[in-house]
Structures are given as structure tokens and as C-alpha cells.
Amino acid sequence: MSDPSAHHVGITVDDLDRAVDFYTETFGFDIVAEFAVGGDAFAEAVAVDDASAAFAHLDAGDVVLELVAYDPAAPGEAPELNRRGATHLGLSVDDVAAFHADLDDDVETLSPPRTTESGTTILFVRDPEGNLIEVLDA
């Protein structure tokens, strides 16, 4: 058996172009690859009848951020932090307060930066699809 290692973190979105713009402009990530996948093997692998998807891979440092827009898209809302399952992407920055001050006015935050009991300063923002991103001190 091979030793597993992290390859990517995937976020499903409705509007791939809007999501790519947000992550490249807000976090400075570079696009590594853009591609589409469809066909029977893909639909069977993701267990979605007649599925196809457009993908964008972004360089997020030690991991690839995979943004994917499915056709057909499933109805539903973005997860909240207190729901079971993967609920957010965590990204570190040198200075959370400075990052917050530089955010575009239209980027939604849950609160201003807060320093927790552990001494870590955190800030939660939502991408245009409502997905949560935790920004914390490096």
C-alpha cells in the first residue's frame, strides 16, 4: 500500500468563473489548471447520473484548491460551521487584521478578527457561493 498524502481540497460551486475570480483576487492564488470531465466513468465515480463538471485547480501553497461546478447541480445550501462534515477551508496569513483591512467591501465576514482563548487570531469569510473560509495567523 502506498503512503497517502494530501493532494487537493475540493469546493463545489455554482458559478466557477465567479469563484475563480474570488480566490485569485482575494487570496492571490494562481490558476494551475482548468478542465472539464464528463462521460459514464465520471458519472459513475461521483454517483451523479449524467454528471459532467468544469474544474479549476488553484495553487494554495502546500495543497491544490479544486473548484468544481457540476452539471447537474444539486439543490441545497452551503454548510454551517456546526454541521457534521467538512465545513470550511483554513488558510493562514501573516497578519489577520491587515488581511481583514484589505478585504473588498463586498466580502462577507462572520465577525471582525477575534483572538481566541488559544491565542490564535481568526476571521471567517464567505466566498460568493457561501462557503466558509477560516483565515488565521500563520
Side-chain angles (χ1 to χ4, degrees):
M1 179 172 126
S2 64
D3 293 330
S5 62
H7 179 269
H8 70 268
V9 173
I11 298 177
T12 300
V13 299
D14 288 326
D15 186 332
L16 186 60
D17 292 333
R18 182 175 67 175
V20 167
D21 288 347
F22 174 81
Y23 285 95
T24 57
E25 293 171 10
T26 303
F27 296 103
F29 295 160
D30 292 323
I31 299 169
V32 177
E34 294 178 285
F35 56 96
V37 178
D40 291 340
F42 178 72
E44 290 172 12
V46 299
V48 176
D49 290 340
D50 300 318
S52 64
F55 293 82
H57 283 183
L58 306 178
D59 181 353
D62 293 334
V63 70
V64 170
L65 174 58
E66 179 180 81
L67 301 174
V68 57
Y70 280 88
D71 182 21
E77 298 296 319
E80 295 298 326
L81 287 170
N82 58 346
R83 288 196 183 134
R84 180 183 43 219
T87 59
H88 71 278
L89 171 66
L91 300 173
S92 62
V93 297
D94 291 331
D95 185 336
V96 173
F99 177 85
H100 179 253
D102 289 340
L103 280 176
D104 286 342
D105 291 339
D106 60 343
V107 175
E108 179 185 349
T109 63
L110 298 188
S111 74
R114 296 290 183 237
T115 302
T116 66
E117 291 176 352
S118 68
T120 303
T121 300
I122 62 173
L123 168 70
F124 278 91
V125 302
R126 288 193 185 273
D127 74 8
E129 303 278 344
N131 296 302
L132 287 162
I133 305 147
E134 180 182 9
V135 180
L136 61 146
D137 284 331

